[in-house]
Amino acid sequence: MGLRWEVPLKNLPYLLGGALLTLRLVGISVVFGIFLGIVGAMGRTSKNKLFHGIATAYVELFRNTPFLVQIYFAYFALPTFNIDLTPGQSALFVMILNTGAYMSEIIRAGIEAVHKSQVESGYSLGMSYLQVFRYVMLPLAMKAIAPPLGNQIISMTLSSCVISQISAEDLTFRAMMLENRTFRSFEIYIVTILIYFLLAEFLYLVIGYINRKVFGISAKQKLPTMI
Amino acid sequence: MLMLDVKDVHKHFGQLHVLKGISLQLERGETGVLFGRSGSGKSTLLRCINYLESIDSGEIYVDSELVTPDRAKLRKLRANIGFVFQHFNLFPHLSILGNVTLGLKVVKKTPEDEAREIALKALEDVGLKEKAENYPEELSGGQQQRVAIARSIAMNPKMILFDEPTSALDPELIGEVLEVMKDLSQQGMTMLVVSHEMGFARETADKMFFLHNGKLVEEGPPSEIFRKPKTEECRRFIEAIL
Ligand SMILES: Nc1ncnc2c1ncn2[C@@H]1O[C@H](COP(=O)(O)OP(=O)(O)OP(=O)(O)O)[C@@H](O)[C@H]1O
Ligand SMILES: [Mg+2]
C-alpha cells in the first residue's frame, strides 16, 4: 500500500487553521477560566455561606457531568430560551465554565496547602484579605499548583476535540472533513496527532513563561514538563 | 507613656478557657519577656494583641488605640505592630528584598525606590544586606529569622511581638538572633517576647511575665523574678529551664 503524505501536507494550512481555532478557544478559556477559578476558589474557601454555596454548586455541576453533554446543552438546548450561539460560541462558553470549575478546585487545594503562618505574616503586616490573597496565598498556591494547572490546560486542549461534534471547525473536525473527502485516514490522523502533540508542548512553554512572569515563581524552580 | 495596655482579657477556645483575665502593661521602649509552660496561653495572648485571635472580654490598647475588629483600623494597627513567628516566617516565593519591601509597597504604598532603600537599611541593621537578592531557602534558619525581624523593622513599627523566635533554631544559630533583638531593645524598640532564653531575659528584659494556666501569676524585673520568685510554680519553672 502506498502512503500519500502529500494529502495532509497539501492540506496543512487547512488543518492548522483548525488547530488555530483550538488554540484560540483554549487561550480565551484559560484567561477567563483562571479568573473564574480564582473567584471559585475564593468562594470555596469563603466563610460566607451564600458565596460558598454558589461556588460549590458551580464547581460540582461542571466537574460531575460530561463535557460533551455540556456542549450539546449549550448548542442544542439553549436556543429553547432564545439563546442562539454559533458552534464556536457554544464551545467557548462551555470551555470557559468547565475549565473554570476544574481550576477552582486546583486553586482551592493549593490555597489550603499554604501554611497558615505565611498567611498570618501577611495579615500581621497590615494587609487586607485581597492583598494577602493576591500577594501571598495565590503565588504560593500557584507554585504548588502550576503542574496540575498546566495538566488541566493540556487536558482541556485535547478534550476540546469533542466540540467537533457540534461542527465547530477545530482541528479534529477538519481532519474528519479531509478524511471524508480523501479517505487517507492513516496519513491524516498521524499528522493530526502530531499537531496536537506540538500544540501541547507549545502550551507547556507558554504556561511556564506566564508562571514565572505573573506569579513570580523563581526561574530557579523548574516546572515539570510532559517530556 | 504606655505602649501596650492589656486589661482583663479573657479568651476561650470552645470550652477551653485559655486566657483568664490577663492584665499587663509595657511602657514605650520597654522589653517584656513572657514565659511559662507549654499551653499556658503565651502565643494566644500575643496573637490577641494584633487580633490574629479575637478576645471574649477585656480591652487591649496599643499606643492608646483600642484594638477592635474594625477592618480598616485593624490593618492600620497591624502595620504598626511587628510580629515575628516561630516558624515559616518568610514568603518563600519572594527574594529577601521582596520579603522586606512587600509590606512597604502593598500596605504603606511606599514607592519602589524608597521601599528598597528602607529595606536595605533594615537588612543592614540585622547584618544581612548582602543577602538581599537571595531567596529564603538559601539562608540558614537564624538568617531567615533575622530577615523576619528586618521585615518588621522596615515597617517602622511602634512595637514588635516575638513568639518564640529562637525555639525552632539549631543551638548555634540562636545567639545571632538574640543579638539582633538585644540591639533593637537597646535602640528603644518596645518589644514583647515569648521566650525561654533566660540569659537574654536577664540582660534585656525590663519586665518579665510568668503565665500559668492562663493567668499572669508573676510579674517583675528579671532581678526579682530570678532571685526571689513569689510563687512556687514560677520558682520550679525557672529551676527546670536554667
Ligand atoms: N486555634 C486554637 N483552637 C483551639 N485551641 C487552641 C487554639 N490555639 C491554641 N489552643 C489551645 O490553647 C491553649 C494555649 O495555647 P497557646 O498556643 O497559647 O500556648 P503556649 O503557651 O503558646 O504554648 P507553647 O509553649 O506550646 O507554644 C492550649 O491548650 C492550646 O491547645
Ligand atoms: Mg506558643
Side-chain angles (χ1 to χ4, degrees):
Chain A
M1 74 172 196
L3 290 176
R4 296 189 43 204
W5 290 104
E6 73 273 15
V7 173
L9 291 182
K10 228 170 50 203
N11 290 287
L12 202 55
Y14 176 69
L15 290 175
L16 287 179
L20 203 63
L21 176 70
T22 302
L23 195 61
R24 272 217 324 267
L25 290 175
V26 167
I28 300 171
S29 37
V30 165
V31 170
F32 286 94
I34 284 181
F35 177 74
L36 261 181
I38 289 172
V39 176
M42 279 178 162
R44 297 276 283 157
T45 54
S46 171
K47 289 191 188 100
N48 182 313
K49 287 225 170 68
L50 183 67
F51 190 19
H52 181 88
I54 292 172
T56 303
Y58 157 64
V59 168
E60 295 292 312
L61 187 66
F62 276 89
R63 276 166 42 100
N64 296 315
T65 54
F67 187 37
L68 180 58
V69 178
Q70 294 166 14
I71 299 263
Y72 281 162
F73 185 87
Y75 188 58
F76 296 118
L78 284 185
T80 313
F81 306 103
N82 288 323
I83 303 173
D84 278 303
L85 302 175
T86 65
Q89 289 168 340
S90 309
L92 182 60
F93 179 63
V94 172
M95 280 169 72
I96 289 174
L97 289 174
N98 185 284
T99 202
Y102 278 92
M103 286 182 175
S104 294
E105 278 309 84
I106 295 173
I107 295 172
R108 178 190 62 78
I111 287 171
E112 284 173 353
V114 172
H115 201 280
K116 192 169 147 239
S117 61
Q118 278 156 356
V119 173
E120 288 183 341
S121 284
Y123 284 124
S124 67
L125 286 169
M127 291 189 202
S128 66
Y129 170 74
L130 281 178
Q131 289 171 336
V132 170
F133 194 89
R134 161 72 182 84
Y135 294 102
V136 181
M137 295 206 252
L138 206 51
L140 282 178
M142 278 298 166
K143 224 168 184 177
I145 69 190
L149 213 55
N151 288 337
Q152 166 56 26
I153 293 170
I154 305 304
S155 140
M156 180 202 23
T157 306
L158 302 182
S159 55
S160 75
C161 66
V162 303
I163 67 176
S164 59
Q165 295 297 311
I166 56 168
S167 312
E169 284 206 43
D170 73 337
L171 176 55
T172 303
F173 182 83
R174 289 197 168 179
M176 279 158 53
M177 288 293 108
L178 196 58
E179 189 209 6
N180 281 344
R181 270 198 285 123
T182 63
F183 304 105
R184 305 310 302 184
S185 313
F186 183 80
E187 299 89 327
I188 290 168
Y189 282 114
I190 282 284
V191 169
T192 301
I193 282 174
L194 194 66
I195 297 175
Y196 270 119
F197 179 74
L198 292 176
L199 200 59
E201 285 303 314
F202 169 69
L203 286 175
Y204 262 115
L205 288 179
V206 175
I207 290 161
Y209 180 81
I210 291 176
N211 273 314
R212 279 196 303 278
K213 290 291 166 195
V214 181
F215 299 108
I217 292 177
S218 72
K220 287 169 191 159
Q221 279 207 330
K222 274 188 95 163
L223 295 175
T225 58
M226 209 146 77
I227 37 173
Chain B
M1 190 54 185
L2 280 185
M3 181 55 83
L4 175 65
D5 192 3
V6 176
K7 290 182 169 170
D8 197 25
V9 164
H10 286 263
K11 168 77 185 170
H12 294 77
F13 285 117
Q15 294 294 315
L16 191 66
H17 197 174
V18 181
L19 300 180
K20 302 169 181 167
I22 302 282
S23 298
L24 67 80
Q25 278 101 34
L26 277 182
E27 297 287 334
R28 187 184 300 268
E30 277 188 326
T31 293
V33 167
L34 186 62
F35 67 110
R37 208 168 285 153
S38 176
S40 57
K42 305 178 298 289
S43 297
T44 305
L45 175 58
L46 229 56
R47 294 164 57 80
C48 286
I49 293 172
N50 74 349
Y51 215 82
L52 285 174
E53 300 286 353
S54 60
I55 60 177
D56 299 331
S57 66
E59 285 164 350
I60 299 175
Y61 293 87
V62 175
D63 201 19
S64 306
E65 294 270 351
L66 181 66
V67 178
T68 69
D70 178 276
R71 283 190 201 172
K73 284 190 188 152
L74 203 52
R75 289 203 295 273
K76 214 171 131 231
L77 172 92
R78 286 172 174 165
N80 281 326
I81 303 178
F83 203 113
V84 176
F85 298 83
Q86 182 177 11
H87 286 298
F88 301 112
N89 225 311
L90 301 180
F91 304 124
H93 60 295
L94 298 176
S95 69
I96 297 309
L97 192 66
N99 267 275
V100 183
T101 51
L102 185 66
L104 290 168
K105 290 197 284 195
V106 170
V107 177
K108 294 200 157 175
K109 315 285 181 207
T110 311
E112 178 87 38
D113 292 353
E114 198 181 324
R116 192 187 156 84
E117 217 168 282
I118 296 171
L120 287 175
K121 172 77 180 59
L123 284 170
E124 196 171 8
D125 288 348
V126 301
L128 287 171
K129 197 176 174 187
E130 73 284 4
K131 297 286 185 191
E133 305 302 329
N134 288 75
Y135 278 79
E137 60 181 9
E138 299 165 332
L139 269 57
S140 73
Q143 290 173 329
Q144 290 188 32
Q145 205 58 304
R146 280 149 63 197
V147 173
I149 294 171
R151 182 172 63 183
S152 288
I153 299 173
M155 296 292 282
N156 190 21
K158 296 179 170 173
M159 172 171 71
I160 304 181
L161 308 172
F162 295 81
D163 192 1
E164 304 205 40
T166 57
S167 63
L169 299 178
D170 292 339
E172 72 272 18
L173 301 176
I174 292 176
E176 61 187 64
V177 174
L178 293 179
E179 207 53 45
V180 166
M181 291 167 61
K182 212 155 61 184
D183 283 351
L184 257 183
S185 172
Q186 274 160 8
Q187 286 160 27
M189 178 60 71
T190 312
M191 310 181 2
L192 183 57
V193 183
V194 174
S195 179
H196 293 153
E197 294 294 332
M198 288 300 148
F200 168 80
R202 198 193 303 268
E203 283 181 54
T204 316
D206 299 293
K207 287 179 187 162
M208 294 179 71
F209 304 98
F210 178 63
L211 210 56
H212 186 70
N213 286 333
K215 286 192 182 130
L216 200 65
V217 297
E218 189 135 353
E219 159 176 5
S223 51
E224 266 177 44
I225 296 274
F226 286 116
R227 234 175 281 140
K228 42 180 195 323
K230 294 186 208 77
T231 58
E232 181 61 18
E233 290 93 1
C234 185
R235 190 186 61 74
R236 261 193 271 147
F237 187 82
I238 288 178
E239 260 173 27
I241 59 174
L242 275 183

